[in-house]
């Protein structure tokens, strides 16, 4: 069974080379395992992920991929650990899994959000326009960023985890999820919000990675009005954000951030 002494991480032997003789020791490493997603007992995709918060992941993945319009279509999630990895079976009668000749049969690697999608129209799907009402103080992004590092225990131990966080409009972090895959971390976060009954559009999302097209798509599909990334966005992510009304922020660093689309959502605090 793929378990470790501490969930999400495991120790492995290492030899540290530097000055003098190599030193033998152990290192904490991020846990990465194959995760088979099934809908109603039928295989849909195999993802590489950190096997934590899998109910959140199943919910977020289902909604952010547009397989269901709402979480009320998910009747239950069953998680099973096997020798080879993990199986997550989502009971969702409204999801029709195609036959084996058309299914998403390729694996979804840790760094890939659309691996296994076999047609262009499956990837470049239009999104509804986001409402324009959200207003966030620009300094709130800095407050959220200042809290993020302390809310990433697995990354602190392993140095190999991405994080996705949701903050209120004043910059208080409410939820953080970690995973070796940036898309997985975001799906876990969105799933946690939906399962709690929170509206993702009432705050903003901060990710410790680049803002790719897939990340922007997942956020926008769940109604997130502002996505902030520590790294850069891609051209396609900017185009998508501009078209659907998503405020996209990149290079979020202490004292600095770059706004690529819809800057009207960010307001300056009064003096």
């Amino acid at each position: 069974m793929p378990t470790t002494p501490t969930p999400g991480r495991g120790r492995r032997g290492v030899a540290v080379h530097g000055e003098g003789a190599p030193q033998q020791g152990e290192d904490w490493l991020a846990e990465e395992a194959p995760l088979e997603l099934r809908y109603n007992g039928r295989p849909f995709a195999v993802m590489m992920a950190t096997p934590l918060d899998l109910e959140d992941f199943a919910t977020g993945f289902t909604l952010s991929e547009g397989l269901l319009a709402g979480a009320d279509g998910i009747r239950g999630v069953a998680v099973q650990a096997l020798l080879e990895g993990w199986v997550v079976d989502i009971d969702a009668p409204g999801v029709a899994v195609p036959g084996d000749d058309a299914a998403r049969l390729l694996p979804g690697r840790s760094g890939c959000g659309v691996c296994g999608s076999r047609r262009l129209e499956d990837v470049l799907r239009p999104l509804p326009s986001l409402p324009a009402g959200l207003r966030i103080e620009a300094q709130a992004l800095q407050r959220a960023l200042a809290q993020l590092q302390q809310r990433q225990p697995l990354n602190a131990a392993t140095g190999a985890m991405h994080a996705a966080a949701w903050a209120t409009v004043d910059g208080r972090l409410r939820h953080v999820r970690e995973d070796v895959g940036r898309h997985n971390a975001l799906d876990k976060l969105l799933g946690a919000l939906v399962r709690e009954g929170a509206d993702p559009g009432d705050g903003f999302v901060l990710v410790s990675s680049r803002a790719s097209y897939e990340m922007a798509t997942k956020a926008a599909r769940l109604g997130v009005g502002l996505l902030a990334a520590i790294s850069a966005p891609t051209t396609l992510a900017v185009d998508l954000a501009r078209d659907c009304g998503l405020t996209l922020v990149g290079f979020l660093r202490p004292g600095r951030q770059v706004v690529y689309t819809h800057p009207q959502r960010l307001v300056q605090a009064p003096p």
Side-chain angles (χ1 to χ4, degrees):
M1 183 177 294
T3 58
T4 56
T6 301
R9 61 180 182 166
R11 293 185 75 86
R12 297 294 185 270
V14 298
V16 181
H17 290 252
E19 295 183 1
Q23 300 295 312
Q24 302 298 318
E26 289 187 327
D27 201 2
W28 283 110
L29 301 177
E31 187 177 5
E32 182 180 34
L35 175 70
E36 180 181 325
L37 284 174
R38 297 178 182 174
Y39 286 93
N40 313 308
R42 298 193 62 184
F44 179 78
V46 176
M47 312 294 291
M48 299 303 296
T50 301
L52 287 175
D53 305 308
L54 295 183
E55 291 84 0
D56 292 342
F57 174 70
T59 302
F61 179 89
T62 301
L63 300 179
S64 73
E65 290 289 315
L67 302 177
L68 287 176
D72 54 352
I74 300 175
R75 299 195 304 193
V77 178
V79 177
Q80 183 181 11
L82 303 177
L83 181 63
E84 301 85 359
W86 298 75
V87 172
V88 179
D89 199 341
I90 301 104
D91 182 4
V95 177
V97 178
D100 289 345
D101 60 337
R104 187 174 180 173
L105 298 177
L106 298 176
R109 299 170 180 85
S110 301
C112 180
V114 296
C115 295
S117 298
R118 303 181 69 177
R119 295 176 297 183
L120 286 175
E121 57 265 33
D122 291 336
V123 177
L124 301 177
R125 289 172 288 181
L127 295 171
S129 297
L130 293 167
L134 182 68
R135 292 292 185 271
I136 297 172
E137 289 185 9
Q139 192 59 29
L141 275 66
Q142 295 293 320
R143 296 190 197 106
L145 177 64
Q147 301 167 58
L148 184 61
Q149 185 174 1
Q150 300 303 317
R151 298 286 296 274
Q152 299 180 73
L154 289 176
N155 188 60
T158 68
M161 290 284 188
H162 283 297
W166 187 80
T168 58
V169 292
D170 60 356
R172 291 180 294 112
L173 291 191
R174 283 275 304 277
H175 291 283
V176 180
R177 291 293 184 270
E178 293 184 274
D179 197 279
V180 292
R182 54 198 170 90
H183 306 91
N184 302 338
L186 181 56
D187 278 333
K188 289 178 178 180
L189 173 72
L190 297 173
L193 292 170
V194 171
R195 294 179 68 218
E196 185 188 73
D199 183 355
D202 287 342
F204 63 92
V205 169
L206 167 62
V207 295
S208 64
S209 63
R210 68 182 182 273
S212 63
Y213 167 83
E214 307 98 300
M215 301 288 278
T217 298
K218 287 177 178 292
R221 188 167 278 132
L222 270 294
V224 174
L226 189 150
L227 173 64
I230 290 177
S231 189
T234 65
T235 56
L236 195 55
V238 171
D239 293 342
L240 168 91
R242 183 187 62 242
D243 292 343
C244 74
L246 172 68
T247 299
L248 187 59
V249 177
F251 294 110
L252 178 59
R253 308 290 167 78
R256 185 177 185 270
Q257 54 214 23
V258 180
V259 184
Y260 290 86
T261 59
H262 299 283
Q264 70 277 5
R265 282 200 181 89
L266 285 173
V267 297
Q268 297 298 319

